[in-house]
Amino acid sequence: MKRWEGPPRLAEFLLILSLPSRYREQQLGDLSEAFFTLQEQQGRPKARRWYCRQILKSVIPNLRLRMRGSHRRVQNTKRHHVIDTLFGDLSHAVRGHLNRPGFAAVAVVTLALGIGANAAIFSVVNGVLLRQLQLENPQRLVDVEVSSGIGGGSDFSLVSEPEYLDLGHQIGSFAQVAAYRGSEVTIGDSSSTRRVRVLKASAELLPLLGVEPLLGRYFTLDEDRPGAEQFPDVGSVLVLGYEMWHTDFGGDPGVIGRRIVAGDQSVTIVGVMPDGFEFPDAGWQAWTPLQLDRTDPWYRNNHYLSVVGRLAPEASIEEAQNEVDILAARSTADHSEYYPDPGCRFRLRPFQSRVVGSIATPLYVLMGAVGFVLLTACVNLANLLLARGEARKREIAIRHAVGASRIRVARLLLIESLLLAAVGGAVGLIVADLGVDALLALAPAGLPRLNNIGVDNTVLVFSTAIAVATGLTFGLLPALRSASVSPADSLKRGGRAFSGDRAGNIVRRVLVSSQVALAVLLVVGAGLMARTVLEMYGVDTGFDTTGIAKFRLHPSGAKYDTPQSGVTLYGEIINRIERLPGVAAASATSSPPLSELGWGRISIVIEGRPAVSIGETPAERVEHITPGYLETIGITLVRGRAFTNADDINSLPVVVINESMASAHWPNEDPIGKRFRVHGDGAPFMEVVGVVRDVRHLAVNQEPSARWYVPHAQAYESAYTSPLSMALLVRSETDIDAMIPTLLEAVRTVDGSLAISRVLTLDQVFSGALKSERFVAILLVLFGAMALVLAAVGVYGVISYAVSQRTHEIGIRMALGAKGSSVLVHVMCEGLRLTAVGVVLGLLAALVLSRVLSSMVFGIDPTDPATYAGVAVALCLVALLASLIPARRASGVSPLLALREET
C-alpha cells in the first residue's frame, strides 16, 4: 500500500468543499505548510490529528473535538462513556445557545409564556376541580337533590323535611345523612351589630364529615331539637369558624362557654372549627343547630334543605341511586297530591360536583384553550428549529463524515431543544406565579375553593412534565430531519445559497398552516365569548341600574315583633330618605334583581277554576314591595295601576303580575280584575290591579319567568309572611356613590341598632352578575391574541426564510424583466395561501367543537356566521401584514448583488 506523502485526503476533501473559493488556495497552502512542519517535528499521526482539528474548526466555529489515536486504551465503561458524551452534548448545547442569544431569547420567552399560562390555569383547575375536599373519605360523600314536579317544574333542587327523613330511615346504602341550609344572623346588641353567615345544620353533619372541632365540641342531637320558636334565627348554641374566632375573639382559647347575643337571643359558644374547614364552601362564619322537628316535619312541598349523605362501606353510588329511585316511586304513590306527573325523582351526584357547580365547564374550556396556545408555541419553535437546521446542514454533514452516528446527532439536537424547554419551564414558573395572582384578581366572586389555588407541588410536577413534553414536541421533528441529512449533498453545496429540500419546505408549510388552524380555534372561541358578554351588557333586563343604591336592612325581631311595627319602620325610613336633597325615589323589596332569589315558587289557586291538589297547582315566584318600587327601579307598568299607600292591612288584598304570568294564566283575556290566592286554608283572594313588564330577575342570561308582587303592608294576610329583612333601593339625581354615606346615616337616625349589609349600587350588582362570563371572555381573548401573534410570527418566519433562500432566483427573475410589484404580490400570495389552508381547517374544527361552548354563549349561535367570517378575515389580514416585510425585501432585491453572492 502506498504511503501518504501529503495531508490526509479526507481532510483535504472537506477543506476544499467547505471553504469559499477565494479562501481555498491560501488556506490550503498555509495548513499544508504547517502540516509538513509538524510532521517533521512530532511525527505523522500527531500532525494528521492536528490538521483535521484545524479544518473542522474552520468549518464549525467553537467546536471542541477530542481526537484519540488507536494506541489509546479506553478506560471508562460504556456507562461512563454515555454519561461523558451526554455532558459533552449538554455543554455544546449551552455554548451554542449562548452564541445565538437572540434565537435562544425568543424561544425561552415563547415557552415561558406558554408553559406559564398552562401552569397558572392548571393551578386553578387543580385547586377547584381536582384536589380532594379536606374531609374524611370525600369520595364517599354524595349530594342529594329532588324533583317533585310541583307547578309543572322538572328541575332538581332542594329537599323537603319529610323527604330528608325518608332518606335517613329508608336508604340502606347511606351510612349517615345530614341536612343544612344557609342563613344570616345579626351578632351583637343594640349598640353594635353586624351580620354573619351562619350554617344551620343537623347534629349528624360533623360526624358524617369526619371533622373534629379545634376547640370544644359540636352540638348534640338534644340541642338540635326545636324550641319554643318554630323558625329561630339561631339555636341555643353556636360553633365558631376559625376566622371569626380570630377576628372577633382574638383567638382566645377561653372562648368556650362564653355567651353572646345572636339573632336576638343569648347563645353559648361550644366549639371552634379547625383552620381551613370549608363546608359546603368558603365564607361560613359559624354553625348552629338546624332544629328540625323530626316528629312533625313541615310540608313536602317546602323544599329548602340541602342534603349530604355518606355511602355505607360496601355501597356504591349506583346502588344508592337504585334505592332512592324505589323510594321516589313509593313516595309518588303514597303522596300523589305532592308529586304530579312525572312524580318524585331523586338525583345523587358526588358531593365535590355539587361544590364545583357549573364552573367546571368554563375551567376545562380555558385549560383546553391554553393548551392550544402552548401547542401553537411548540409548532412555531419547531419551524424555527427546522429553518435553523437548514443553516446547520454543513455542520451536521461534517459530524457524519467524521464518524458521528445519526442517533448521536439526533440526541445532540434534542438536548438543545430540551435545554430550551427547561429554561423556558423555569421562567414559566415565575410567569405562573404572577398569573395566579392575576387570575385570583379577575376570578368571579362565586368561584369555589379559592383558598386551594396556588403553585404547589402538583403544579410543579405538571410544569416539569409539560416542559419535557414541550421540548420533545418542538425538538423531535427538527432533530430527526437534521440527523437524516445526506453528508454528500450538503457538502456539495459548499458556501452557495440554496433553497432547501422540497420535503423540508413542505414540513414547514404544514406546521404554519397548523399554527393558523389552532389560532382560528382560539380566536373563534374568544370571539363567541366576547360577543356573549357584549350581548349581556346590551340585553334589556326590564329595569334600570344607573344612579340606584341598594342595601339590606335587618331589624331586630325582638324589637319589631308585630307585622305593623315592621311596616311602620320601613315607612319612616323611606319618608326620611325621600326628603334628602338629590333623592328621586326610594322603596323597599324582599328580593332585588340579580342579587337574591327571595321566596321560592309558591302554589296558587285561580278563582273560578277547578280545585286541584297542591302538586298540580301553578307555582310562581312572589316578591314583596313597598309603594314606589316600580318607579324607583324603572319597571314599566303595562296596564292597570301600581300600589299606593292606601293598599294596607285595612284594604282589599291586591296584586300586580308580570307579562309572563298574565300570558301563562290568562292568555287571551285581560287579567285586570282577576283573582287568585295562595294554596291553603284561609288564604284570601287577591285581585290583579296591574300588569308590568317582565324583568330578568334571576340572571341576565336567563329568560324572565312568571312573577307576582304584593304590597309589603298586605303581605301578612295575602301571602306568606312578608320578611322583616328587606332591601332598600334609592334612586339619586346626583352621584349615587357619594350619596351612600348620607343614606346610611339617614337610616341610623331612625334606628341606630339596625344591621346593614350588602351596600352596593345596582351598576355594581349588574357588573358582578356578569363576572363569570367576563372572566372567561378576558382569558380567551388573551389566549386568542397570543395564538394570533404566534401564527403571524410563523407566517413571517417561513416567508422570510423562503425569500432569503430564493434571493438568487429572485435576482434572476428581476434581471430578466420581472417587476418588483409582481415579486411583492407573489410573495404575499404565498403567505396568504398558507393562511387560507389553516383558516379552512380551523373553521371546520371550530364548527365541530362549537357544542362545547353552547352552554356558555348567550344571545348568539355557537356557529354564528358573523363571528366565523370575522375571524377568517382577521387571520388573513394578519397573514398579509406578516408577509409584507419579507415581500418588500424580496421586491427590493438587486439582481447584480444577488448574482454576485454566488460567485
Side-chain angles (χ1 to χ4, degrees), residues 409-421:
V409 172
R411 187 181 69 185
L412 171 63
L413 299 178
L414 200 55
I415 286 176
E416 293 179 355
S417 303
L418 290 173
L419 180 61
L420 289 175

Side-chain angles (χ1 to χ4, degrees), residues 593-624:
L594 304 180
S595 53
E596 298 147 285
L597 296 180
W599 291 99
R601 302 175 69 203
I602 298 178
S603 298
I604 62 174
V605 176
I606 299 175
E607 186 180 35
R609 299 186 183 179
V612 293
S613 67
I614 188 172
E616 295 177 339
T617 57
E620 315 298 1
R621 297 187 183 275
V622 62
E623 186 174 346
H624 309 86

Side-chain angles (χ1 to χ4, degrees), residues 610-802:
V612 293
S613 67
I614 188 172
E616 295 177 339
T617 57
E620 315 298 1
R621 297 187 183 275
V622 62
E623 186 174 346
H624 309 86
I625 61 175
T626 63
Y629 171 73
L630 302 181
E631 294 82 359
T632 302
I633 202 170
I635 298 178
T636 303
L637 183 68
V638 177
R639 61 169 65 92
R641 69 174 178 87
F643 299 140
T644 67
N645 290 326
D647 297 315
D648 58 16
I649 197 67
N650 299 314
S651 62
L652 292 176
V654 293
V655 65
V656 170
I657 63 175
N658 68 355
E659 291 177 308
S660 292
M661 187 168 178
S663 61
H665 301 302
W666 299 279
N668 299 311
E669 305 176 64
D670 185 357
I672 303 298
K674 303 298 183 182
R675 301 205 309 167
F676 64 89
R677 64 178 174 85
V678 174
H679 189 285
D681 296 335
F685 277 99
M686 300 168 287
E687 181 180 343
V688 177
V689 296
V691 179
V692 298
R693 281 190 62 198
D694 288 339
V695 171
R696 292 181 181 267
H697 196 95
L698 302 181
V700 176
N701 59 351
Q702 187 171 336
E703 292 297 325
S705 59
R707 179 175 290 266
W708 46 287
Y709 305 83
V710 294
H712 179 239
Q714 289 187 348
Y716 300 98
E717 298 295 335
S718 60
Y720 283 4
T721 302
S722 188
L724 187 56
S725 175
M726 299 274 281
L728 200 65
L729 297 168
V730 181
R731 179 187 291 276
S732 175
E733 297 173 342
T734 59
D735 182 8
I736 190 61
D737 292 300
M739 191 76 179
I740 287 178
T742 304
L743 299 177
L744 298 179
E745 184 60 30
V747 171
R748 293 189 178 97
T749 57
V750 177
D751 186 350
S753 67
L754 284 175
I756 304 175
S757 65
R758 304 176 191 176
V759 181
L760 296 167
T761 66
L762 281 195
D763 282 331
Q764 292 172 329
V765 172
F766 183 82
S767 179
L770 303 183
K771 197 167 185 180
S772 295
E773 290 78 10
R774 195 166 59 245
F775 172 71
V776 176
I778 289 174
L779 291 181
L780 283 180
V781 168
L782 177 62
F783 298 153
M786 291 173 64
L788 201 61
V789 170
L790 289 173
V793 171
V795 172
Y796 169 81
V798 166
I799 300 303
S800 181
Y801 178 78

Side-chain angles (χ1 to χ4, degrees), residues 103 107 111 115 374-375 377-386 413-414 416-422 467-479 511:
F103 172 83
L111 287 172
I115 294 174
L374 181 60
L375 187 57
C378 290
V379 173
N380 198 23
L381 290 174
N383 236 333
L384 291 176
L385 287 175
L386 282 173
L413 299 178
L414 200 55
E416 293 179 355
S417 303
L418 290 173
L419 180 61
L420 289 175
V468 173
T470 299
L472 293 174
T473 301
F474 74 78
L476 194 58
L477 179 60
L511 290 177

Side-chain angles (χ1 to χ4, degrees), residues 86-97:
L86 284 175
F87 276 109
D89 290 344
L90 181 61
S91 176
H92 179 270
V94 171
R95 290 195 306 273
H97 291 319

Side-chain angles (χ1 to χ4, degrees), residues 140-145 159-180 200-210 218-219 221 224 279 290 292 294 305-313 315 320-321 323-324 327 346-348 351:
R140 306 293 295 171
L141 299 179
V142 294
D143 178 64
V144 185
E145 294 178 311
V159 179
S160 67
E161 292 180 4
E163 292 163 345
Y164 161 62
L165 296 176
D166 288 345
L167 289 167
H169 296 153
Q170 303 184 35
I171 305 300
S173 294
F174 286 149
Q176 285 179 301
V177 178
Y180 59 94
K200 299 172 68 67
S202 63
E204 298 89 352
L205 181 62
L206 251 62
L208 180 149
L209 300 177
Y218 190 55
F219 41 82
L221 187 60
D224 191 25
F279 181 91
L290 181 63
L292 184 149
R294 299 167 188 265
L305 292 175
S306 297
V307 175
V308 58
R310 178 173 289 279
L311 295 173
Q321 183 67 60
E323 282 198 66
V324 297
L327 172 62
F346 287 100
R347 181 175 69 179
L348 305 183
F351 187 76

